[in-house]
């Protein structure tokens, strides 16, 4: 596939502003844990205090990571790969070689309810998905029969670019 110039041939993003509200709840739990640790006026003993602090900190960090990791997704298709990067630090990340793809389909409506929520999901009957919001997306059938789905804006053009690459690979 040296016919194409280096660099991305298609890029797309999808974001979910609602998850910022959930992230705020995680930050509040984290702040509560810090407040309890710093200004502890508990008379019931140290064990309930430690359990409360650790619980608030753990819940806050889990909520923050779980939401901020899936506030947005960035998808890039170049001449060799399709790369999916989630969140602000790009993790989790998935790179699929175009040579591993047997078919690409445009899916006009993907919902978190179909996949059991937002995030990086796996369902035995559906495969793997990155769902950051409801709406359009790309569904890839891989050579091993597995499916990979991602919600992304302008998914129809992504499918067109991937199909063009697939046709070039079969020549």
């Amino acid at each position: 596939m040296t016919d194409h110039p280096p660099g991305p041939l298609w890029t797309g993003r999808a974001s979910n502003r609602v998850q910022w509200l959930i992230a705020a709840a995680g930050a509040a739990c984290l702040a509560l844990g810090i407040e309890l640790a710093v200004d502890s006026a508990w008379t019931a003993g140290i064990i309930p205090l430690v359990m409360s602090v650790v619980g608030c900190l753990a819940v806050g960090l889990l909520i923050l990571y779980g939401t901020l990791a899936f506030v947005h997704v960035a998808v890039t298709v170049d001449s060799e790969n399709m790369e999916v990067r989630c969140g602000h630090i790009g993790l989790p990340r998935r790179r699929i070689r175009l040579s591993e793809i047997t078919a690409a389909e445009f899916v006009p409506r993907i919902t978190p309810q179909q996949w059991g929520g937002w995030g990086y999901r796996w369902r035995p009957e559906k495969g793997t998905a990155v769902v950051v919001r409801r709406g359009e997306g790309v569904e890839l059938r891989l050579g091993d029969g597995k499916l990979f789905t991602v919600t992304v804006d302008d998914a129809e053009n992504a499918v067109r670019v991937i199909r063009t690459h697939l046709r070039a690979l079969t020549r």
Side-chain angles (χ1 to χ4, degrees):
M1 299 210 47
T2 59
D3 302 356
H4 302 288
L9 298 174
W10 182 88
T11 58
R13 295 178 61 89
S15 61
N16 185 345
R17 292 190 179 112
V18 173
Q19 290 193 331
W20 286 107
L21 294 173
I22 300 168
C29 285
L30 199 60
L32 177 61
I34 293 169
E35 172 66 23
L36 287 173
V38 172
D39 187 29
S40 62
W42 285 43
T43 59
I46 191 74
I47 293 179
L49 175 63
V50 170
M51 289 173 53
S52 298
V53 169
V54 170
C56 287
L57 293 177
V59 167
L61 288 173
L62 285 171
I63 291 173
L64 277 173
Y65 175 75
T67 55
L68 294 180
F70 295 102
V71 167
H72 70 269
V73 64
V75 179
T76 304
V77 178
D78 62 25
S79 60
E80 296 178 6
N81 303 299
M82 180 177 118
E83 184 176 57
V84 178
R85 296 177 60 141
C86 300
H88 295 289
I89 58 173
L91 293 175
R93 178 183 309 179
R94 172 95 187 253
R95 181 174 288 179
I96 301 171
R97 297 191 55 78
L98 295 180
S99 59
E100 297 173 9
I101 299 171
T102 60
E105 297 296 326
F106 169 72
V107 181
R109 183 158 169 80
I110 298 170
T111 64
Q113 291 83 8
Q114 293 169 327
W115 288 93
W118 288 308
Y120 202 97
R121 299 295 180 173
W122 176 77
R123 306 248 337 240
E125 69 278 3
K126 290 184 162 201
T128 307
V130 176
V131 180
V132 296
R133 53 114 173 106
R134 78 176 52 121
E136 64 183 308
V138 176
E139 181 180 83
L140 303 176
R141 181 168 300 281
L142 305 178
D144 57 6
K146 296 178 182 174
L147 295 175
F148 181 79
T149 306
V150 60
T151 55
V152 64
D153 294 333
D154 195 27
E156 208 162 2
N157 279 329
V159 169
R160 183 185 50 77
V161 168
I162 292 168
R163 286 179 179 168
T164 301
H165 285 311
L166 294 179
R167 282 192 297 273
L169 283 172
T170 58
R171 291 184 209 163

